[in-house]
Amino acid sequence: MAKDTLLAALSCKELSEMKARMLAGETVETCSRCYEFESVGNKSKRQTELEVNAGRVEDVLAGLVTKPEILELRLGNKCNLGCVSCSPDSSSFLYREVEKNLEPGGVFDDQHLGAFATMRANQTEWFEQDRVWQDVRGLMPGIRRLYITGGEPTLINKNWEMLSFAIEEGYAPNIYLEISTNLTVLKDKHIEVLNRFGSCHIYCSIDATGMAFEYLRYPANWEKVERNFRRLLELSSKSVQIGVTPTISALSIWRLRDLYAWLDQIEYDTGRCIPLHCHTLLRDPAYQSLTHLPEDLKKRAIGEIDWLLAKYPDDFNQRNLKKVANFIRHGEGHPDILIEGQKYIENFDRIRGRSWREVVPELEEVWK
């Protein structure tokens, strides 16, 4: 996107070749996360999208769909948080942290260093370029589903200009809008815009509560995010579905019970149903992946999920929680990767004046 227009990217040689290979039944490296998810018995995003769009597949294959009907906008790395589960290519906050601490002897894993190098070589705020949004507006008449994430999409003014354009031109009632947000800067005027779409799903990135949340989603303030969450519930219309999407990792899984309990109280207070989606199972940075827990901690982590399965017997939670259990049980693991990760976590702790021991004491048996 830094060098191509949106329309040029949609018709590029690489994408055409990928489509041809997939239609021929071949696997492609770009979809490795979905294949890994499927290999442990879970339904992947690839499979879900095929099911959701089954009614359009034949028309697409017949060449009857000439322009995209589904648009997914991942708007760069502009973000005000440096979540421990994130990377410099998705967080400008993390990018600056790595940049500032690299020379003084900061200890970063290869994934962070690789993402930092890529962003440094190609750093451009392409999502602020008019040509990008001209292409988006041109596609808007045929769009039926729009997913927006970042970075943090609420920070990008042109994103809101585009959504306002969809409202003004009368396209919004026909669009199913999905947006992911960390809830730190969500304003009333943003909620008013989201209310104008035919239907809307807001995915709130919350991994835990209280001090654990502030550690995992540094430097967010829990009280502020909770206030914003309650305000979102109060001001959003019935056409807006609000869900919570934690990033589930070797650090956050121990606080999942607390997150469910908090949501139970919110639902009781507001009378609204708030689904908790368990599909974001962290793979990178690898040292935080649940698959790399030693066997005894894997058993304890599965025990956390079993406790939740017993408490929430409804179909939705059963499907979601079993994804986590399958990922832990069947994912290929290398505990040495998690053990090595202690030095990377403690490097960030040193920079931020925090300590993992205060929020995930469960790891003390492997991180001495």
Side-chain angles (χ1 to χ4, degrees):
M1 187 60 72
K3 62 181 185 299
D4 297 324
T5 66
L6 175 60
L7 295 180
L10 288 171
S11 59
C12 70
K13 177 183 177 183
E14 292 83 356
L15 188 57
S16 297
E17 290 176 349
M18 186 189 306
K19 290 177 180 178
R21 288 182 60 190
M22 295 191 79
L23 286 171
E26 300 176 22
T27 59
V28 294
E29 185 178 354
T30 307
C31 297
S32 60
R33 293 195 179 199
C34 280
Y35 300 141
E36 180 182 1
F37 215 53
E38 294 162 17
S39 72
V40 298
N42 289 332
K43 183 180 292 185
S44 68
K45 178 176 172 61
R46 182 183 74 89
Q47 293 172 321
T48 301
E49 292 294 338
L50 283 171
E51 286 185 7
V52 170
N53 297 288
R56 299 296 285 152
V57 170
E58 292 301 322
D59 286 344
V60 171
L61 295 176
L64 300 178
V65 180
T66 57
K67 290 186 177 181
E69 297 179 348
I70 303 170
L71 191 58
E72 185 168 314
L73 297 175
R74 295 181 176 268
L75 302 175
N77 76 333
K78 186 175 183 178
C79 190
N80 57 338
L81 300 185
C83 306
V84 296
S85 58
C86 202
S87 177
D89 52 358
S90 295
S91 166
S92 54
F93 186 103
L94 269 173
Y95 178 91
R96 291 191 298 271
E97 267 194 330
V98 174
E99 183 178 47
K100 182 178 180 181
N101 292 280
L102 195 58
E103 292 302 324
V107 182
F108 301 98
D109 71 303
D110 289 343
Q111 189 254 346
H112 276 79
L113 292 175
F116 172 77
T118 299
M119 294 303 294
R120 181 166 56 180
N122 301 285
Q123 189 70 280
T124 175
E125 292 190 345
W126 59 263
F127 47 84
E128 298 288 4
Q129 296 175 6
D130 288 337
R131 64 175 186 168
V132 172
W133 299 103
Q134 288 172 0
D135 284 349
V136 173
R137 287 192 291 270
L139 294 172
M140 197 62 68
I143 294 297
R144 56 184 173 87
R145 182 172 155 208
L146 176 62
Y147 174 61
I148 306 171
T149 185
E152 174 51 42
T154 58
L155 293 172
I156 299 171
N157 290 332
K158 287 190 177 294
N159 174 49
W160 295 106
E161 292 174 9
M162 177 268 295
L163 294 176
S164 296
F165 168 83
I167 294 169
E168 292 163 5
E169 296 298 316
Y171 305 133
N174 302 317
I175 294 175
Y176 171 38
L177 174 65
E178 300 171 278
I179 186 167
S180 293
T181 176
N182 62 31
L183 284 177
T184 57
V185 292
L186 191 67
K187 298 178 172 59
D188 290 358
K189 64 180 182 180
H190 295 153
I191 301 173
E192 291 171 9
V193 168
L194 302 177
N195 284 340
R196 299 286 296 278
F197 282 76
S199 58
C200 177
H201 200 138
I202 305 174
Y203 300 101
C204 302
S205 301
I206 303 175
D207 302 338
T209 61
M211 184 173 64
F213 169 83
E214 293 180 348
Y215 179 88
L216 296 167
R217 295 272 170 183
Y218 179 86
N221 177 276
W222 170 245
E223 291 185 0
K224 179 180 179 181
V225 167
E226 184 178 27
R227 283 198 305 271
N228 286 346
F229 189 75
R230 287 182 177 273
R231 183 164 52 88
L232 175 61
L233 289 166
E234 178 185 351
L235 299 179
S236 58
S237 68
K238 292 182 179 180
S239 65
V240 176
Q241 171 69 66
I242 299 163
V244 170
T245 52
T247 297
I248 302 176
S249 70
L251 276 72
S252 68
I253 192 166
W254 317 105
R255 309 284 80 83
L256 196 56
R257 282 196 205 190
D258 297 338
L259 185 59
Y260 267 92
W262 172 72
L263 275 182
D264 287 346
Q265 184 62 53
I266 295 284
E267 289 186 335
Y268 178 82
D269 292 343
T270 65
R272 293 192 65 159
C273 176
I274 308 163
L276 191 152
H277 304 276
C278 293
H279 55 260
T280 307
L281 299 167
L282 190 69
R283 291 175 71 252
D284 299 308
Y287 63 85
Q288 294 181 42
S289 173
L290 288 164
T291 60
H292 300 314
L293 288 171
E295 283 304 314
D296 55 341
L297 276 180
K298 276 191 175 183
K299 291 177 182 178
R300 288 181 62 184
I302 291 170
E304 292 293 312
I305 300 304
D306 286 343
W307 187 92
L308 289 167
L309 283 167
K311 183 174 176 60
Y312 299 96
D314 60 284
D315 289 345
F316 176 83
N317 279 305
Q318 290 287 306
R319 288 195 306 270
N320 264 275
L321 289 163
K322 285 176 181 177
K323 292 177 187 177
V324 186
N326 286 340
F327 187 69
I328 299 171
R329 283 194 179 98
H330 305 302
E332 182 179 352
H334 302 281
D336 287 349
I337 293 175
L338 179 130
I339 293 169
E340 185 181 15
Q342 180 177 359
K343 64 185 179 184
Y344 303 129
I345 283 291
E346 291 183 348
N347 178 55
F348 280 111
D349 285 354
R350 175 186 58 80
I351 293 168
R352 299 171 174 183
R354 300 294 175 100
S355 173
W356 62 266
R357 297 177 191 275
E358 295 177 355
V359 293
V360 280
E362 290 83 358
L363 294 182
E364 286 183 346
E365 65 182 73
V366 289
W367 288 352
K368 307 300 184 182

